[in-house]
Amino acid sequence: MARKSLSFPGIFPALLSYSFLLFLFAFPTIGRHDYQDALRKSILFFEGQRSGRLPLDQRIKWHRDSALHDGSTSGVDLTGGYYDAGDNVKFGFPMAFTTTLLAWSIIDFCRNMGPELKNAAKAVKWSTDYLLKATAKPGVVYVQVGDAYSDHSCWERPEDMDTLRTVYKIDNAHPGSDVAGETAAALAAASIVFRSRDPAYSRLLLNRAVRVFNFADKHRGAYSSSLHSAVCPFYCDVNGYEDELLWGAVWLHKASRKRVYREYIVKNEIVLRAGDTINEFGWDNKHAGINILISKVLQNLKN
């Protein structure tokens, strides 16, 4: 079973490969390699990570329905979403970040994706359907299903797992601006992907993103503090929750085109450490991505 590394835990390495392949797709004459097939396999990876009741068009046939009662111990439906790495835990923080980047790749590279575009959109929706369930109750975000310690001590298929499916959440008294801010970013980014494909679903995603972001901003704090024993050392937010609030705001600005989110970034520039040094970009540090998106906003305003 895959273990978490300090640099690129979970499904993030596959996402890096996927993003790099999309870059290469923009320059199809590079080399003689079949990047279309590589892109297909990269997206196929996410189908292998699916949890819940699988659709009829599932391409990985050896993978079956699993975790069909997730959330039942807390009276909610948390089926679906993605497992993390080779584990059977569903970690909301990296899952939401992965969703944001998958959506961003479609937004920027959809013309280069060919027949894989529809599969990439399905990969995004498989996650956002789950994130909508996780944020259905106002003032609450369900951020993890499964006990990482018991899961890591037992190597088994998700179809056969008998480890704990403990549910973890953040709420007003136990904040998690990091995971909530990232979830808002994912929902907002995905709303752009489905704006023309499914307008009603796009509006649902954007409205939910607004609500989740407001919750994240009003009740500030790190989920690593609220749920330390459950999420650390696996997905501790070492860099703080401030960048996720900025990240969520900039995606809401891009999705809604509302000035209020640009004003939010300017107003909170100091307190949310917008000028922090950029030394990485990943599920725990969004500053490089924030700067790219803001630079595009400024470029559009200039034009």
Side-chain angles (χ1 to χ4, degrees):
M1 179 173 294
R3 291 293 185 265
K4 308 297 181 293
S5 70
L6 293 177
S7 299
F8 302 114
I11 59 180
F12 188 50
L15 188 60
L16 281 176
S17 300
Y18 169 78
S19 301
F20 179 65
L21 285 167
L22 288 173
F23 171 78
L24 291 174
F25 255 57
F27 305 94
T29 59
I30 296 178
R32 296 177 177 273
H33 301 291
D34 188 347
Y35 290 112
Q36 182 173 330
D37 184 56
L39 178 63
R40 182 187 67 82
K41 290 173 179 174
S42 295
I43 297 175
L44 193 64
F45 168 84
F46 291 98
E47 292 191 23
Q49 298 297 109
R50 284 175 173 174
S51 176
R53 192 173 299 281
L54 303 182
L56 294 176
D57 62 356
Q58 169 81 10
R59 292 180 293 171
I60 297 182
K61 300 302 182 183
W62 48 260
H63 189 26
R64 304 297 183 188
D65 297 346
S66 61
L68 299 180
H69 302 289
D70 276 0
S72 61
T73 56
S74 297
V76 291
D77 177 11
L78 294 176
T79 56
Y82 290 111
Y83 296 118
D84 182 78
D87 310 324
N88 297 330
V89 181
K90 293 190 291 198
F91 291 100
F93 195 13
M95 189 195 306
F97 174 69
T98 297
T99 307
T100 307
L101 260 64
L102 282 170
W104 193 2
S105 70
I106 294 174
I107 294 166
D108 280 7
F109 296 102
C110 59
R111 295 181 180 179
N112 305 106
M113 298 179 71
E116 288 306 315
L117 177 58
K118 67 180 187 301
N119 292 321
K122 288 178 182 179
V124 171
K125 191 174 186 297
W126 189 265
S127 184
T128 52
D129 283 350
Y130 172 80
L131 294 177
L132 287 171
K133 294 178 181 180
T135 57
K137 187 182 299 184
V140 174
V141 179
Y142 292 94
V143 300
Q144 183 175 318
V145 179
D147 177 81
Y149 290 97
S150 65
D151 179 84
H152 285 186
S153 66
C154 183
W155 189 321
E156 59 186 352
R157 302 188 317 149
E159 294 88 343
D160 303 326
M161 65 178 163
D162 53 6
T163 50
L164 296 172
R165 301 304 289 169
T166 311
V167 173
Y168 300 92
K169 67 178 181 179
I170 56 172
D171 53 28
N172 298 352
H174 307 89
S177 300
D178 32 27
V179 63
E182 183 59 68
T183 301
L187 294 168
S191 76
I192 302 173
V193 171
F194 293 102
R195 185 178 287 158
S196 59
R197 292 177 174 84
D198 189 340
Y201 188 66
S202 174
R203 289 192 295 272
L204 173 62
L205 293 172
L206 183 55
N207 290 337
R208 185 64 58 81
V210 170
R211 192 177 82 187
V212 174
F213 178 79
N214 289 339
F215 162 72
D217 187 45
K218 183 178 181 180
H219 303 282
R220 294 187 180 185
Y223 94 133
S224 300
S225 299
S226 299
L227 299 172
H228 187 273
S229 62
V231 302
C232 296
F234 310 100
Y235 287 103
C236 281
D237 187 5
V238 178
N239 289 303
Y241 63 82
E242 293 85 357
D243 56 325
E244 277 80 30
L245 288 177
L246 292 169
W247 181 242
V250 75
W251 273 110
L252 277 166
H253 177 270
K254 186 174 179 66
S256 69
R257 304 176 180 131
K258 290 185 177 180
R259 176 188 292 268
V260 63
Y261 295 108
R262 191 167 78 241
E263 294 174 344
Y264 174 93
I265 295 168
V266 174
K267 180 181 177 181
N268 290 276
E269 177 182 3
I270 303 301
V271 68
L272 295 182
R273 299 164 26 212
D276 274 15
T277 302
I278 305 165
N279 56 8
E280 64 180 75
F281 178 60
W283 62 268
D284 188 27
N285 191 322
K286 314 297 165 35
H287 284 289
I290 292 166
N291 287 349
I292 290 172
L293 290 174
I294 291 178
S295 68
K296 289 186 176 184
V297 171
L298 296 175
Q299 183 69 33
N300 291 334
L301 290 175
K302 185 181 296 184
N303 294 337

